[in-house]
Amino acid sequence: MFFDWLRKKTQRRPAPVKDPLAAFDQLIEDLERQGAEIRKSAATLLALKGDLSRSEERYVRRLEEIDRRRVQAHGDAKVASALDRDRVQTESLLHTTRESLTRAKQDGQLLLEAASELGQRVAELRAERESASARLAVGGLMSSALREQVERFEKVLAVDAARDEIERAHALADIYREERAEAAKPD
């Protein structure tokens, strides 16, 4: 239990991004990197499909050749037995190659779809980033305008406070003047 607590305390969490646009940029960069890896894998599968297609053609030709030789063997049991073994082995290789080719086609299609979806997501994020950038710029302008308005308001308040202070000073001077006038009056 203590070690779990200690492990949780020592695990580092990524620092929160202070610039929201940097968060967009980081996510876009990560998605572009992931898209590049997916496209690289799709290209590898395309090359593999080409190799498998050539192997499939080669095995089909080999089966045709085995059938031709079987006809030419004219019932020779040893030759027929060897050709039957070759045929079974070639059919097995052809079956495996076709399965691999089907899987490579499916996986390639899946990877191309994933790359397309990532591309769309990146485009959406870029548009959202531009919108966020514009909103931040407008927000900054609004903030500076409000700041200026607050500063003007503070200046108006300071002038009003100065006026109030002057009024109090005049009122205090009037009170002292009246007290002096009362004190100077002969009783």
Side-chain angles (χ1 to χ4, degrees), residues 53-114:
S53 294
R54 287 186 292 279
S55 294
E56 180 183 30
E57 292 170 5
R58 188 175 58 244
Y59 294 139
V60 167
R61 283 193 310 268
R62 186 182 294 173
L63 285 174
E64 291 170 355
E65 178 66 26
I66 290 171
D67 289 341
R68 242 188 338 270
R69 286 183 183 176
R70 182 128 167 95
V71 170
Q72 291 173 352
H74 298 298
D76 186 355
K78 284 186 172 182
V79 172
S81 174
L83 289 173
D84 287 342
R85 279 192 312 268
D86 286 350
R87 181 168 186 70
V88 168
Q89 184 183 26
T90 304
E91 284 175 345
S92 175
L93 290 171
L94 179 61
H95 178 71
T96 303
T97 301
R98 285 182 174 160
E99 285 179 352
S100 297
L101 183 60
T102 301
R103 176 119 190 241
K105 286 178 182 177
Q106 291 171 348
D107 290 350
Q109 184 63 33
L110 181 67
L111 287 175
L112 290 174
E113 289 172 5

Side-chain angles (χ1 to χ4, degrees), residues 123-156:
E124 290 170 1
L125 281 172
R126 285 190 179 175
E128 190 176 347
R129 185 206 182 280
E130 292 302 318
S131 175
S133 175
R135 285 192 307 254
L136 283 173
V138 168
L141 292 174
M142 291 297 292
S143 293
S144 66
L146 288 174
R147 198 174 313 116
E148 290 175 9
Q149 188 177 8
V150 166
E151 288 173 3
R152 281 195 306 270
F153 185 70
E154 287 174 351
K155 289 177 184 175
V156 168

Side-chain angles (χ1 to χ4, degrees), residues 26-73:
Q26 185 177 14
L27 180 58
I28 289 169
E29 183 180 319
D30 290 345
L31 289 177
E32 285 176 337
R33 189 177 10 261
Q34 185 179 2
E37 288 298 320
I38 288 174
R39 286 188 297 278
K40 181 179 174 183
S41 296
T44 301
L45 284 178
L46 284 174
L48 177 64
K49 274 177 37 178
D51 290 343
L52 290 172
S53 294
R54 287 186 292 279
S55 294
E56 180 183 30
E57 292 170 5
R58 188 175 58 244
Y59 294 139
V60 167
R61 283 193 310 268
R62 186 182 294 173
L63 285 174
E64 291 170 355
E65 178 66 26
I66 290 171
D67 289 341
R68 242 188 338 270
R69 286 183 183 176
R70 182 128 167 95
V71 170
Q72 291 173 352

